């Protein structure tokens, strides 16, 4: 039996807004789950229904197979870290960490041991006497995480905990949170709008859009096997390139270019004649020149962006804009006209009407 079950969860706010639609998910003990999607897609609403901070309009939330809809946050044994990690400004790091245990009436010496252990996990030992204002943003966020993990809870919920940090701190905290999760093993649901955070931290990712779950899967699943255009375009940076066209004689033409889609469609190629398809290929999946087992294309190079490890090449391919990710040494030799190849296995097809992947 799954540890947590979300069965057809819906949230309709009092003003009638339907924020979450039929959310289904089973979470195993110890999993690190990430909800990802653009702002307003219903991530926090779903998290708050799990936390017991927001009423579930319909559907069921189960813990260990038992209905938990009516339980308060404390009875659900959840700890939550928010984006704005409100620490008590007049209390030291030690007291901030100890606070919830003090409230529960835990013995002083037990509290001391727990605070020491938590501070050690989070690298806060030398800051225990400081006030929050004497800490960096990253250190404050670590105290906020520490306050959540110091209590032994079953479910650890985090809502965009890194969004107030600068880019460098975010990368550091990302790996720290993953490390903490490995150490304490608590079932974690982590909300972010950042696909890189989702890809690097999650055991499984839930991609959401407009209150609907688009796909649930491992980072590998979502990257290599996206369910639809939205997921394909959301995961990966720069995003997957898309080209739309109609199937004619087994090929999709765009401008002066065309791609044979019969390899991918096989026996079904006939059914697609005259229908609209969207072709997708990732910037990093291409190879320069004309290679074997590939679709061959040529393009005009419009702009190159040298990032150090890689160069993004902005191209026009048959009047469509696309980006190629190229080794900087190779990019330096590119002319204004260039040939490139898309390996057969790296071409994705989507239904032009429904935008669903064609497997
Ligand atoms: P996310 O966390 O993914 O950015 P939210 O879950 O906060 O999104 O919000 C989802 C949608 O529900 C948004 O369109 C938001 O405006 C709306 N919403 C959030 N809270 C309320 C509320 N209390 N009443 C009405 N609508 C709300
Ligand atoms: Mg939110």
């Amino acid at each position: 039996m799954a540890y947590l079950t979300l069965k057809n969860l819906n949230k309709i706010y009092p003003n009638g807004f339907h924020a979450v639609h039929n959310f289904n998910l089973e979470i195993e003990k110890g999993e690190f789950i990430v909800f990802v999607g653009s702002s307003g897609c219903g991530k926090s609403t779903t998290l708050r229904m799990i936390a017991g901070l927001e009423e579930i309009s319909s559907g069921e939330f189960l813990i260990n197979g038992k209905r938990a809809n009516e339980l308060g946050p404390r009875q659900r044994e959840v700890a939550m870290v928010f984006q704005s990690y409100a620490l008590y400004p007049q209390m030291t790091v030690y007291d901030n960490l100890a606070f919830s245990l003090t409230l529960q009436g835990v013995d002083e010496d037990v509290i001391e041991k727990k605070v020491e252990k938590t501070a050690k996990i989070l690298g806060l030992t030398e800051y225990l006497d400081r006030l929050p204002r004497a800490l960096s943003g990253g250190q404050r966020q670590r105290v906020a995480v520490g306050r959540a993990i110091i209590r032994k809870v079953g479910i650890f919920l985090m809502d965009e905990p890194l969004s107030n940090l600068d880019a460098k701190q975010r990368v550091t905290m990302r790996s720290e949170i993953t490390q903490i999760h490995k150490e304490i093993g608590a079932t974690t649901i982590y909300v972010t709008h950042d696909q890189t955070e989702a890809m690097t931290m999650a055991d499984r990712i839930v991609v959401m859009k407009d209150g609907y779950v688009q796909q649930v899967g491992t980072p590998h699943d979502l990257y290599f096997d996206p369910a639809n255009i939205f997921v394909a375009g959301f995961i990966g940076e720069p995003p997957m390139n898309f080209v739309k066209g109609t199937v004619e004689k087994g090929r999709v033409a765009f401008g002066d270019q065309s791609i044979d889609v019969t390899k991918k469609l096989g026996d079904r190629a006939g059914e697609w004649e005259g229908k609209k398809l969207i072709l997708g290929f990732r910037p990093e999946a291409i190879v320069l020149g004309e290679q074997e087992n590939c679709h061959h294309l040529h393009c005009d190079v419009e702009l190159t962006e040298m990032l150090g490890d890689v160069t993004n090449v902005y191209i026009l391919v048959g009047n469509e804009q696309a980006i190629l990710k190229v080794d900087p040494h190779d990019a330096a030799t590119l002319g204004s006209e260039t040939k490139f190849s898309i390996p057969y296995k790296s071409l994705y097809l989507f239904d032009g009407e429904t935008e669903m992947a064609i497997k």
Side-chain angles (χ1 to χ4, degrees):
M1 185 207 323
Y3 175 44
L4 304 178
T5 306
L6 285 67
K7 229 191 240 173
N8 276 319
L9 284 198
N10 281 276
K11 179 64 190 182
I12 302 169
Y13 280 111
N15 67 358
F17 185 74
H18 199 156
V20 177
H21 298 256
N22 297 325
F23 194 114
N24 284 296
L25 184 67
E26 294 203 333
I27 300 174
E28 300 301 329
K29 221 174 185 122
E31 264 195 299
F32 197 111
I33 298 285
V34 175
F35 294 171
V36 71
S38 326
S39 176
C41 70
K43 306 179 295 292
S44 296
T45 302
T46 309
L47 201 70
R48 292 169 60 81
M49 287 196 284
I50 293 168
L53 298 170
E54 199 70 71
E55 197 190 331
I56 296 169
S57 305
S58 72
E60 257 192 334
F61 173 56
L62 313 175
I63 302 177
N64 284 321
K66 285 207 195 84
R67 181 177 163 101
N69 290 40
E70 286 73 29
L71 298 184
R74 212 158 263 286
Q75 296 162 296
R76 295 185 194 194
E77 303 202 315
V78 297
M80 192 147 171
V81 181
F82 298 94
Q83 176 180 344
S84 53
Y85 33 85
L87 301 178
Y88 299 105
Q90 75 287 11
M91 287 188 196
T92 61
V93 170
Y94 183 100
D95 290 333
N96 266 286
L97 289 173
F99 189 68
S100 66
L101 301 175
T102 309
L103 274 191
Q104 283 173 29
V106 177
D107 287 345
E108 269 313 318
D109 48 335
V110 176
I111 292 181
E112 197 178 322
K113 282 208 185 75
K114 287 198 170 178
V115 170
E116 272 169 17
K117 188 169 162 225
T118 307
K120 199 162 163 229
I121 292 175
L122 291 159
L124 290 168
T125 306
E126 42 187 313
Y127 306 108
L128 285 173
D129 295 332
R130 291 209 193 166
L131 292 174
R133 68 165 177 272
L135 299 175
S136 72
Q139 290 163 339
R140 278 181 223 161
Q141 188 55 298
R142 260 180 278 176
V143 179
V145 171
R147 280 203 316 192
I149 65 174
I150 198 160
R151 289 189 296 135
K152 203 161 169 43
V153 297
I155 317 169
F156 196 29
L157 305 176
M158 294 194 250
D159 195 345
E160 312 235 13
L162 308 186
S163 34
N164 283 345
L165 303 182
D166 68 36
K168 211 163 187 170
Q169 289 173 326
R170 275 209 300 276
V171 174
T172 313
M173 273 307 284
R174 203 161 80 197
S175 55
E176 282 182 12
I177 290 179
T178 310
Q179 200 58 41
I180 293 164
H181 175 252
K182 281 211 183 98
E183 275 175 48
I184 65 173
T187 309
T188 303
I189 307 176
Y190 184 102
V191 160
T192 179
H193 62 273
D194 181 327
Q195 63 98 22
T196 311
E197 274 178 30
M199 289 297 276
T200 52
M201 299 174 88
D203 291 322
R204 285 190 301 148
I205 299 173
V206 179
V207 182
M208 298 180 69
K209 183 193 174 206
D210 300 338
Y212 289 90
V213 172
Q214 301 292 306
Q215 187 170 6
V216 180
T218 63
H220 190 277
D221 290 339
L222 299 196
Y223 181 84
F224 288 104
D225 206 5
N228 58 33
I229 288 277
F230 181 78
V231 176
F234 194 81
I235 302 290
E237 178 56 38
M240 187 184 278
N241 296 301
F242 298 113
V243 170
K244 198 165 183 168
T246 307
V247 184
E248 279 168 40
K249 298 203 180 94
R251 299 184 79 87
V252 169
F254 42 103
D256 63 342
Q257 305 282 295
S258 72
I259 287 182
D260 177 359
V261 291
T262 57
K263 287 235 160 28
K264 198 100 190 174
L265 292 172
D267 298 343
R268 295 169 298 168
E271 302 164 26
W272 284 95
E273 268 303 304
K275 296 203 174 118
K276 283 207 160 36
L277 282 186
I278 299 166
L279 313 186
F281 61 96
R282 294 203 179 273
E284 58 276 28
I286 63 103
V287 208
L288 290 174
E290 289 192 344
Q291 309 291 338
E292 269 181 60
N293 295 320
C294 290
H295 303 282
H296 298 153
L297 295 165
H298 60 88
C299 63
D300 295 332
V301 173
E302 302 217 291
L303 181 77
T304 59
E305 241 177 29
M306 219 287 283
L307 299 175
D309 57 335
V310 71
T311 295
N312 290 335
V313 181
Y314 292 75
I315 58 162
L316 265 187
V317 52
N319 296 330
E320 301 274 353
Q321 286 179 319
I323 302 178
L324 310 180
K325 239 178 170 171
V326 174
D327 182 293
H329 302 98
D330 297 340
T333 69
L334 292 184
S336 61
E337 276 183 47
T338 288
K339 289 180 176 171
F340 70 98
S341 304
I342 305 171
Y344 293 148
K345 62 171 173 41
S346 301
L347 181 73
Y348 292 85
L349 299 187
F350 303 89
D351 186 323
E353 304 295 330
T354 64
E355 302 196 340
M356 298 301 284
I358 302 169
K359 309 269 166 166

